[in-house]
């Protein structure tokens, strides 16, 4: 494990997250890594940690983690930006960043490879390919001639991400295993990204001995994230209950959750759960929305019947964490049961809006 080796300040880091989840990722960085968040917004959280080591790669609510090379809120929209990108890149102490990169990730074996990734959103007076060339000019001489460019599985990736006037550049520490969990063997089309499910279970605030229900569990991502978070926190007595009306979903969840031994894994209708009243501490669920519904199904009817059932099975003061596309039908379904709103987040997932909300049932 790499640790503080000199009195020099450690390089700063940043993480990429789904838009709208920055606050939850910042909380994980502060609580679980003792980090200090410097800035967050537009899907990026910049932070410093007291120790730079592989614990960075265990963050669950983020998609990728980087060592920060440079960042700016003042990148011109015009082609003047290209000169700045080149200059800022040239000033970076790359050998030091690469040493940290190799200390945290395994040092590349065989002939080393690298790749440059450029992402750009917004209107600019230059093209993405020009930004990439400017980045490459700024990096001239950094990688020895023996290093090869390789798009697939490069040992080192330098990323430049530009949103309007904001730009951030860094060395990617994570790889695809950060986003794709080992438990996820079976996939279903509407399955959640694990980092989003991880954010949901953090919001659920689960404690010892609690029963957590996902009554429309799909491939089981939420319960799997719940189980892994509980393991991280040493909670051994959590009860995972899940079900879905589709046989294929229950089968997929059974594979993905095998290691976590859910207590209930059933084929059921969430509008009529075969459960007694007041038996569940947390409902964490991502009901279908938009095109995930069959044409003859009515979203408002489904949500109000499901919310009535969740209200029945939740214990007094129990909590529900729900992720939907359009907030309106959910808010209308919740009004009659009188839950109090705790927190709300507007997300963007794969370019589409989504609404994540946390609710508390009345005390008695
Ligand atoms: C958006 S998906 C859930 C995805 C899940 N969170 C995951 O990560 O895989 C919604 C699920 O709700 C299920 N569903 C829809 N209506 C239902 C109902 N009335 N009762 C139980 N499950 C239902 C669907 O079969 C689907 O698997």
């Amino acid at each position: 494990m790499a640790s503080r080796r000199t009195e020099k300040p450690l390089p700063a880091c940043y993480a990429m997250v789904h838009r709208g989840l920055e606050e939850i990722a910042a909380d994980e960085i502060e609580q679980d890594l003792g980090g200090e968040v410097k800035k967050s917004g537009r899907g990026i959280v910049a932070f410093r940690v007291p120790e730079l080591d592989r614990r960075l790669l265990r963050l669950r609510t983020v998609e990728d983690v980087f060592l920060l090379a440079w960042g700016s809120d003042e990148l011109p929209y015009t082609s003047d930006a290209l000169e700045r990108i080149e200059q800022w890149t040239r000033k970076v102490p790359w050998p030091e960043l690469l040493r940290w990169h190799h200390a945290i990730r395994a040092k590349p074996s065989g002939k080393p490879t690298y790749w440059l990734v450029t992402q750009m959103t917004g209107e600019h007076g230059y093209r993405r390919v020009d930004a990439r060339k400017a980045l490459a000019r700024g990096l001239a001489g950094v990688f020895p001639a023996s290093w090869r460019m390789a798009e697939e599985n490069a040992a080192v990736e330098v990323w430049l991400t530009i949103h309007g006037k904001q730009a951030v550049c860094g060395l990617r520490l994570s790889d695809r295993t950060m986003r794709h969990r080992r438990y996820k063997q079976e996939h279903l089309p509407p399955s959640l990204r694990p980092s989003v499910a991880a954010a949901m279970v953090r919001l659920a605030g689960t404690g010892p001995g609690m029963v957590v229900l996902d009554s429309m569990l799909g491939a089981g991502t939420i319960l799997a994230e719940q189980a892994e978070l509980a393991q991280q926190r040493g909670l051994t007595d959590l009860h995972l209950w899940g079900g879905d009306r589709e046989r294929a979903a229950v089968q997929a969840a059974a594979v993905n959750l095998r290691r976590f031994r859910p207590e209930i894994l059933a084929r059921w209708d969430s509008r009529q759960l075969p459960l007694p009243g007041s038996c569940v501490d947390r409902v964490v669920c991502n009901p279908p929305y938009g095109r995930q519904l069959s044409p003859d199904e009515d979203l408002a009817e489904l949500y109000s019947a499901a919310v009535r059932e969740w209200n029945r099975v939740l214990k007094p003061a129990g909590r529900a964490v729900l992720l939907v596309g359009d907030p309106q039908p959910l808010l209308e379904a919740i009004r009659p049961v009188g839950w109090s709103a705790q927190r709300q987040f507007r997300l963007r997932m794969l370019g589409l809006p989504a609404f994540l909300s946390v609710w508390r049932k009345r005390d008695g």
Side-chain angles (χ1 to χ4, degrees):
M1 187 186 284
S3 63
R4 194 194 294 271
R5 296 178 299 189
T6 66
E7 289 311 307
K8 267 178 80 175
L10 300 176
C13 302
Y14 64 96
M16 284 195 184
V17 304
H18 282 282
R19 288 278 285 270
L21 290 185
E22 295 89 347
E23 196 184 325
I24 305 168
D27 178 73
E28 184 184 17
I29 289 163
E30 288 174 350
Q31 300 296 318
D32 296 14
L33 294 182
E36 191 187 343
V37 170
K38 297 290 187 187
K39 206 164 184 274
S40 83
R42 308 193 80 162
I44 290 180
V45 182
F47 60 96
R48 289 190 177 274
V49 277
E51 303 274 331
L52 265 183
D53 55 39
R54 288 185 64 80
R55 279 175 299 172
L56 279 170
L57 305 179
R58 285 189 224 133
L59 287 170
R60 304 189 66 82
T61 62
V62 315
E63 293 277 300
D64 270 302
V65 191
F66 301 80
L67 289 170
L68 179 71
W70 59 262
S72 172
D73 291 329
E74 299 296 330
L75 190 69
Y77 287 106
T78 63
S79 58
D80 290 349
L82 302 174
E83 183 65 28
R84 307 272 170 92
I85 291 171
E86 183 180 337
Q87 281 171 3
W88 289 333
T89 305
R90 195 167 286 141
K91 283 194 196 141
V92 173
W94 289 105
E96 186 195 331
L97 286 192
L98 283 165
R99 271 198 303 279
W100 279 110
H101 178 277
H102 299 337
I104 293 167
R105 301 231 344 209
K107 195 169 165 33
S109 58
K111 222 175 172 57
T113 52
Y114 70 104
W115 190 245
L116 311 187
V117 176
T118 318
Q119 300 173 320
M120 216 164 111
T121 57
E123 298 272 313
H124 298 88
Y126 56 94
R127 298 167 306 162
R128 189 161 63 97
V129 61
D130 301 322
R132 190 176 188 278
K133 283 183 188 160
L135 176 67
R137 286 195 298 277
L139 284 166
V142 169
F143 297 106
S146 57
W147 284 48
R148 268 190 313 109
M149 293 273 263
E151 186 168 3
E152 286 295 313
N153 297 323
V156 174
E157 288 179 8
V158 180
W159 283 46
L160 170 61
T161 302
I162 302 172
H163 296 306
K165 279 167 53 177
Q166 268 187 4
V168 68
C169 175
L171 274 186
R172 188 184 183 209
L173 290 174
S174 46
D175 61 19
R176 54 189 292 283
T177 57
M178 181 161 214
R179 279 169 280 146
H180 303 274
R181 308 288 205 260
R182 256 181 265 155
Y183 64 74
K184 205 137 187 187
Q185 308 285 319
E186 295 289 329
H187 295 264
L188 293 175
S191 206
L192 272 184
R193 302 282 285 221
S195 68
V196 179
M200 292 175 74
V201 299
R202 282 188 82 84
L203 292 171
T206 320
M210 284 191 178
V211 174
V212 182
L213 168 70
D214 181 354
S215 62
M216 304 194 217
L217 93 169
T221 322
I222 291 172
L223 291 186
E225 288 298 320
Q226 179 65 78
E228 293 211 326
L229 180 65
Q231 276 173 6
Q232 248 181 27
R233 294 184 166 171
L235 281 180
T236 49
D237 55 350
L238 211 60
H239 307 275
L240 304 176
W241 295 4
D244 199 286
R245 70 170 177 199
E246 299 297 330
R247 188 186 304 278
V250 178
Q251 283 170 346
V255 173
N256 291 338
L257 294 171
R258 190 164 26 213
R259 193 152 62 81
F260 308 117
R261 299 170 196 270
E263 239 169 54
I264 298 181
L265 200 49
R267 197 161 163 221
W268 62 28
D269 186 341
S270 187
R271 294 171 296 189
Q272 240 178 332
L273 292 169
L275 299 173
S278 303
C279 59
V280 165
D281 297 278
R282 299 288 183 260
V283 168
V284 190
C285 191
N286 156 224
Y289 56 87
R291 276 179 290 155
Q292 297 164 359
L293 282 177
S294 57
D296 57 336
E297 246 177 340
D298 178 45
L299 198 71
E301 188 277 325
L302 174 66
Y303 286 8
S304 63
V307 168
R308 263 200 311 275
E309 269 306 75
W310 292 330
N311 188 53
R312 183 181 69 77
V313 300
L314 265 177
K315 294 179 186 170
R319 211 183 277 183
V321 181
L322 304 171
L323 178 71
V324 295
D326 177 7
Q328 220 43 48
L330 181 70
L331 297 176
E332 275 158 30
I334 287 174
R335 200 170 303 128
V337 297
W339 291 350
S340 58
Q342 307 287 293
R343 298 179 74 179
Q344 302 191 339
F345 303 84
R346 306 273 172 166
L347 317 187
R348 284 199 80 77
M349 296 191 326
L350 305 175
L352 295 174
F355 177 64
L356 171 58
S357 53
V358 184
W359 303 88
R360 184 175 180 275
K361 183 180 163 172
R362 291 202 191 120
D363 283 335

